[in-house]
Structure formats: structure tokens, C-alpha cells
Amino acid sequence: MRAVLLMGSDDASYYRVELCRIIPNLDLRIYPKIGGIDDIEFLLVKKPLISDFGVFPNIKAIISLTVGLDQFDNVEVPSNIPILRMLDEGHVLSMAEFVLFSVMYYHRQMDRYESFQQERIWRECPLRHSRNRSVGFMGFGAMAKKPAIMLRDLGFRVSSWRKSAKTEPGIQSFRGMEELVDFLSGLDILVCLLPQTEETFGILNLSTLSMLPVGAAVINAGRGSCLNEDALIHLLDNNHLSGASLDVFQREPLEKHSVLWAHPRIRITPHIAGKADVPKAADFIRQRIQELEEEV
Amino acid sequence: MRAVLLMGSDDASYYRVELCRIIPNLDLRIYPKIGGIDDIEFLLVKKPLISDFGVFPNIKAIISLTVGLDQFDNVEVPSNIPILRMLDEGHVLSMAEFVLFSVMYYHRQMDRYESFQQERIWRECPLRHSRNRSVGFMGFGAMAKKPAIMLRDLGFRVSSWRKSAKTEPGIQSFRGMEELVDFLSGLDILVCLLPQTEETFGILNLSTLSMLPVGAAVINAGRGSCLNEDALIHLLDNNHLSGASLDVFQREPLEKHSVLWAHPRIRITPHIAGKADVPKAADFIRQRIQELEEEV
């Protein structure tokens, strides 16, 4: 291996420390200080800061520091250069934490208990036990599986929807647009973990969100482009939906003047649901580089 | 079996439906309509509404509708009458949900994100991943085990403290007063699920809560008598502790004038963490009655 170039990460110095610790004699460069361009064999990219990766004559692969690859949508990447998705354990676990928290928030009606506390009211809301509560995952890749299985083990009725069905014991699976209404119409809580693609753009819109039963809650920790925010607000305001937790948005960072910030039934977090654990991610990168070197 | 008397439950009519559905020819009576006192062989008790259970000449057992038995502390129960604790699956699962929610709330700094939302601030808090986060359970019975194992499986460093140590793979166990300081001093998040006994009265006081590291959070879903509320407030106000989620209180219902309601770092729920699932609880009762009848 000659040189590795790191691009577009706020954690560049942390990655440098961890990568240099586990890869002996690593020649790590941080964009824009690229040094000799011919030396560069691997690119570690969070945000692409250039529009054409064809400028690197000798790269073997791009390793994305994110799970989604949509940041490459408008970037030229030579067709013979593979782009590998990051999938470190920290990312999977932190997404599971966020999903479990958000599901429990609606399942246990924490929004109501927060209001009761403000008004100093000691009042119990009737509890629907988990076996009577249905949680559905749109997108059922590596990020969804962990929280889905944990919810199943807590007694919830869990289902999944994706392009091509993927079975998991005890989790009902739906697939394709033709099964979307059957999937959505049975849910109390919808968890969207879809990636950004042409097919998922605006997939949660007035028509599809209306398929959810009255009182359902929506959690979006996939991509902001999947959800039509105006449709969501409309269905919250007319009491079709009871609440929403949004971690991703049509435009990020969410603009100061967005009506989402102050909506009483919307919880906002700034795209923090799933986060890489840099030391674990560095180890993932080390393994991928090693495999790619051995292939040669 | 002759008659079963149900006492002190707000869910009496729900229990009646479920019990009569699964126990043929059940003679179920609801206190105070006890009918012939000699007929009564089993008592199902949530709150004891009498002070001496010796008045029932023919009872074989009392089945508590709660997991804790502290409501019998000041009640006379003939020494030959067993009191059985309720332990239905719904109770275990709902407690696990509450604990997971509360741990995630502090672990993922949701209090800070809620403030950011109010101020329309898009800002990420650095994430300490679960493998660097320590959660400890005081009391490690049937209610604690499920959430402890799930947190362990999410990568958390989990430990337990109880009177006599109980081992569980991957969970460090501490026991007795002599190990309390070692246990508490290593925690980021303390979960108290202790029962009410003479030994646990005020066990979380100024001295022991001060053993927690600066910045720790406290969750109490055991019994209110375990926690000295004044000590908690003192340690929150001087920034030793970062937050507390309280589901149980020294006096319940929590009085209107309590300062706990309005404390900015305290979350309050009205003793709703673990709740019986009546159909499951009815089945538990059916099984216990059947076993006790067979013993005769």
C-alpha cells in the first residue's frame, strides 16, 4: 500500500490517530493536502469534496465512511473503482439505541407523561402491552435488523418492508409497492431506515402516510428525502398521526425558520441516530484495505 | 376450589372477565362483597384493604397482584398462609421497556437535544459509544435481568449489585454494603429496582449517591422508599448528578406541591414502569391455584 487519502470527515484527526495506531507505516493524507497524486491507492470519503474521482490515476477503491452512499449520487466515479460501505459495529448499535428509544417514547406515551408532569398531574395512561403493539421497519438492512430483533424479543409484533423480501424468524415480511398498503395499514409505529435512491424519494407522502392507522407514529432515521415533510405536518395537524421523531430532513442542517422545530408533535435530532465508532471503523477500514491488497 | 376473593385492584372487572374465561365455574368475589367468608380459599390482593387476614378461616394462599410484597408490611397474615408474588411476562417486559427508554434518554443525551430543538439549534453532542458507558442495576431479580441482558447485548458495560451476588455472563456482579462503593463509583447510569425492605430504606442517600461519578444519572423504578429525594435534589442542584428519572416516590401519589414536579433535571412518571398484563396475569393465577389445589 502506498498512500491513503481521507476526505470530508469532521473526525479526520481522530481517524488519523486510530488508523496510524493499527496500520504500521501508514502514509495517511488528509484532503486537501494530497501530496503526490500518483501515490494514492485508497480513498476514505465521508463527504466527496471533488466532483470527479477519475483524477486519481491509481486508486483501487473508495471506502465510504457512511452507511448510505447517496453522497456519491452526483459525483463521477470510474466504473472500475468499487465503493465500499462502512458498516462498523458502533454504527449498528447506536442506530439500534435510537430506534429503541424512539419506539418506546411512543409506545409508552412519554409525550403524555411529559405534559402531565408540567401540569403536576399524577395520572396513568392505559398501557397497551407490547404483544398488542405493531412496529414496522421500512428498509430492512443491517441497521434495522438489530432493533427489529430486540423489539420482537420484547414481545412486539414486528414487520418489515423492502424491495425484495428478506425473512427473519418471527418478523412478518412485506415487499414491493403492491404490498405497501398491507404493511402500513397494520402499524402502530413506523420506523423508516430506507436509503436515498430514486425509488425511495418521497415514498412517505400524503398517499402512503394516510395508509397508516389513525394514531400511528412515524420515526425517520433513514434519509430525509424519503419523507414529504409537508404531508407529515398535514397528517399530524388533522390528528391522523400522533407524533413523529425525525433525525433526517429534506435539507440538512434544518433551517432556522423551518416549522418542524416548533411543532408540538415532532421531535428533532440533528442526524445523530447512527454514528460510527471511530476505533471500530478504523479496524473495519484496515480489514478492507488488507483484503483489497491481497486480491492484487 | 370454592371461592376466590379479589381485593384492592383497579382492574377488578378486567381480572373477573379473564379469570372466568379460563377457570371453569369460578366463584369469584370482589371485595367488599365477600359473601360467605368460610367459602373463600384464595385471595388475590393488590392493596390489602383489611389489617388482618386471619379473619378468613379457610384460605390456602394469598396471591399478590404485584411483584413487590411491601404492601403487606403492616398487615397481619397467619404464618401458615403463603403469599405468592405475581410475576407475569407483561410485568417483566414493560419494566424492561421503561428501563431501556430511560437509559437511552441519558446515554443519548436526549435532554440536551430537547433543549436544542426549543432553541432551533442544529448541534451534535459527541457520542460516547455503548462500550464506553457503564450501567449498573441495584437489585438484580427477575425484573432487572431482561433489560440488563439487552443492554449488555447493545455493548454496554453492565453491572449488578444485590445482597447476595448472582452471576450472569458478561455482567459484573457486586454484593453487600462493603462492595457498594466499588459498584457505584464506576457507573454512568444507575438503575434502582430494589424492593422495599428495612435494609433498602433510604439506601440511596447523600452518602451513597455521592459515590456516583460526577455527571451520573439515576433511574428509580424500584420503590420510592429506597431513595432520599432531598439528597437527590441536592446532588442535582450542585451538578454532581446530571439527571434523574423517577417512577416511584416516598409518597404516592406525588403531592401537587412537591418540588420534584418542576425540577428541570427530573423526569416523573406515575408508577407505571412495570405493569401486569391482565390476561397473562390471570393465566399465572390459574396455574398457581391449580398447583396449590393439587398439593392438598
Side-chain angles (χ1 to χ4, degrees):
Chain A
M1 176 184 33
R2 286 152 86 198
V4 175
L5 177 66
L6 178 62
M7 180 185 284
S9 167
D10 295 336
D11 290 323
S13 51
Y14 191 5
Y15 270 107
R16 180 199 286 281
V17 169
E18 290 298 322
L19 286 166
C20 291
R21 194 171 58 77
I22 60 176
I23 305 178
N25 306 315
L26 174 66
D27 179 1
L28 183 76
R29 303 174 190 176
I30 297 179
Y31 189 88
K33 295 183 180 167
I34 65 173
I37 201 164
D38 291 352
D39 305 340
I40 296 168
E41 293 192 347
F42 297 98
L43 289 173
L44 311 178
V45 181
K46 181 140 185 200
K47 295 187 204 91
L49 300 174
I50 58 173
S51 57
D52 184 356
F53 284 83
V55 299
F56 298 98
N58 296 317
I59 52 170
K60 292 175 175 165
I62 296 172
I63 300 176
S64 168
L65 299 181
T66 58
V67 178
L69 297 181
D70 45 86
Q71 71 272 42
F72 294 100
D73 285 352
N74 298 311
V75 170
E76 293 284 331
V77 179
S79 57
N80 62 326
I81 301 302
I83 303 180
L84 307 181
R85 309 190 316 152
M86 169 63 61
L87 198 64
D88 74 296
E89 194 191 15
H91 218 126
V92 170
L93 293 177
S94 53
M95 180 59 84
E97 294 166 357
F98 183 88
V99 170
L100 289 171
F101 172 83
S102 304
V103 168
M104 293 310 158
Y105 184 83
Y106 296 110
H107 169 55
R108 298 303 295 265
Q109 301 179 266
M110 289 299 177
D111 45 351
R112 298 195 65 194
Y113 287 119
E114 285 164 5
S115 303
F116 292 165
Q117 178 172 356
Q118 280 178 8
E119 297 169 45
R120 298 175 176 248
I121 295 172
W122 180 274
R123 184 185 302 157
E124 185 174 337
C125 303
L127 174 61
R128 263 171 73 189
H129 282 270
S130 57
R131 65 192 174 86
N132 301 315
R133 187 75 79 177
S134 172
V135 182
F137 286 80
M138 280 183 93
F140 201 64
M143 303 295 262
K145 214 167 150 177
K146 181 100 185 165
I149 288 171
M150 295 189 97
L151 289 167
R152 179 197 67 191
D153 293 348
L154 283 167
F156 288 86
R157 303 195 318 243
V158 181
S159 56
S160 69
W161 178 90
R162 41 177 278 152
K163 225 173 2 177
S164 51
K166 196 164 160 186
T167 59
E168 183 67 33
I171 295 177
Q172 190 179 7
S173 83
F174 296 87
R175 69 192 178 96
M177 294 310 287
E178 66 280 13
E179 292 182 10
L180 191 55
V181 63
D182 289 339
F183 168 72
L184 291 172
S185 61
L187 299 183
D188 294 303
I189 300 169
L190 169 65
V191 181
C192 174
L193 297 180
L194 288 168
Q196 175 171 318
T197 67
E198 276 179 33
E199 288 159 309
T200 66
F201 183 84
I203 192 168
L204 292 175
N205 51 44
L206 197 56
S207 158
T208 54
L209 289 172
S210 299
M211 295 171 184
L212 289 164
V214 170
V218 174
I219 296 160
N220 190 12
R223 280 291 180 265
S225 59
C226 302
L227 174 72
N228 183 313
E229 292 165 359
D230 292 335
L232 175 73
I233 290 171
H234 178 74
L235 290 167
L236 288 168
D237 288 344
N238 75 5
N239 293 315
H240 186 109
L241 298 177
S242 60
S245 286
L246 307 181
D247 186 55
V248 290
F249 301 88
Q250 287 171 4
R251 291 185 62 174
E252 296 179 16
L254 186 62
E255 298 118 318
K256 278 267 184 208
H257 65 265
S258 168
V259 295
L260 297 172
W261 287 113
H263 197 287
R265 295 191 183 174
I266 295 179
R267 290 178 64 85
I268 288 175
T269 44
H271 203 143
I272 52 86
K275 300 300 286 183
D277 186 353
V278 173
K280 298 270 181 188
D283 197 55
F284 178 91
I285 292 164
R286 182 190 60 73
Q287 288 179 43
R288 293 298 85 73
I289 287 177
Q290 193 177 330
E291 286 162 13
L292 289 159
E293 296 253 286
E294 283 166 3
E295 276 176 20
V296 180
Chain B
M1 175 184 31
R2 287 152 83 199
V4 174
L5 176 65
L6 178 61
M7 179 185 284
S9 167
D10 295 335
D11 290 324
S13 51
Y14 192 4
Y15 270 107
R16 181 199 285 279
V17 170
E18 291 298 322
L19 287 166
C20 291
R21 194 172 58 77
I22 59 176
I23 305 178
N25 306 315
L26 174 66
D27 179 0
L28 183 76
R29 303 173 188 176
I30 297 179
Y31 188 88
K33 296 183 180 168
I34 67 173
I37 201 164
D38 292 352
D39 305 339
I40 295 168
E41 293 192 347
F42 296 99
L43 289 172
L44 310 179
V45 181
K46 181 139 186 200
K47 294 187 205 90
L49 300 175
I50 58 173
S51 57
D52 184 355
F53 284 84
V55 299
F56 298 98
N58 297 317
I59 53 170
K60 293 176 174 164
I62 296 171
I63 300 176
S64 168
L65 299 181
T66 57
V67 178
L69 297 181
D70 46 87
Q71 71 271 41
F72 294 99
D73 284 353
N74 298 310
V75 170
E76 293 285 330
V77 178
S79 57
N80 61 326
I81 301 302
I83 304 180
L84 308 181
R85 309 190 316 151
M86 170 62 61
L87 198 64
D88 73 295
E89 193 191 16
H91 219 125
V92 170
L93 294 176
S94 53
M95 179 59 85
E97 293 166 357
F98 184 88
V99 170
L100 288 171
F101 171 83
S102 304
V103 168
M104 293 310 158
Y105 184 82
Y106 295 110
H107 168 55
R108 297 303 295 266
Q109 300 179 266
M110 289 300 177
D111 46 351
R112 297 196 65 195
Y113 287 118
E114 285 164 4
S115 303
F116 291 164
Q117 179 173 355
Q118 280 178 9
E119 297 168 45
R120 297 174 177 249
I121 294 172
W122 180 274
R123 185 186 302 157
E124 185 174 339
C125 303
L127 174 61
R128 263 171 73 188
H129 282 271
S130 57
R131 65 191 174 85
N132 301 314
R133 188 75 78 177
S134 172
V135 182
F137 287 80
M138 280 184 93
F140 201 63
M143 303 295 262
K145 213 167 150 177
K146 181 98 184 167
I149 289 171
M150 295 189 97
L151 289 167
R152 179 198 67 192
D153 292 348
L154 283 166
F156 288 86
R157 302 195 318 243
V158 181
S159 56
S160 70
W161 178 90
R162 41 177 278 152
K163 227 175 0 179
S164 51
K166 196 163 160 187
T167 59
E168 183 68 35
I171 295 177
Q172 191 179 6
S173 84
F174 296 87
R175 68 192 180 95
M177 295 309 287
E178 65 280 13
E179 292 182 9
L180 191 55
V181 63
D182 289 340
F183 167 72
L184 291 172
S185 62
L187 299 182
D188 295 303
I189 300 170
L190 169 64
V191 181
C192 173
L193 297 180
L194 288 168
Q196 175 172 319
T197 67
E198 277 179 32
E199 287 159 309
T200 66
F201 183 83
I203 193 169
L204 293 175
N205 51 43
L206 198 57
S207 158
T208 54
L209 288 172
S210 299
M211 295 171 184
L212 288 163
V214 170
V218 173
I219 297 159
N220 190 13
R223 281 290 180 266
S225 59
C226 302
L227 174 72
N228 183 312
E229 292 165 359
D230 293 337
L232 175 74
I233 290 171
H234 178 75
L235 290 168
L236 288 168
D237 288 345
N238 75 4
N239 293 314
H240 186 110
L241 298 177
S242 61
S245 286
L246 307 181
D247 186 56
V248 290
F249 301 88
Q250 287 171 3
R251 292 184 63 173
E252 297 179 14
L254 186 63
E255 298 120 317
K256 278 267 185 208
H257 65 265
S258 168
V259 295
L260 296 173
W261 287 112
H263 196 288
R265 295 192 182 173
I266 295 179
R267 289 178 65 84
I268 288 174
T269 44
H271 202 143
I272 52 86
K275 300 300 286 183
D277 186 352
V278 172
K280 297 271 181 188
D283 198 55
F284 178 91
I285 291 163
R286 182 190 59 74
Q287 287 179 44
R288 294 297 85 73
I289 288 177
Q290 192 176 332
E291 287 163 12
L292 289 159
E293 296 254 286
E294 284 165 2
E295 277 176 19
V296 180

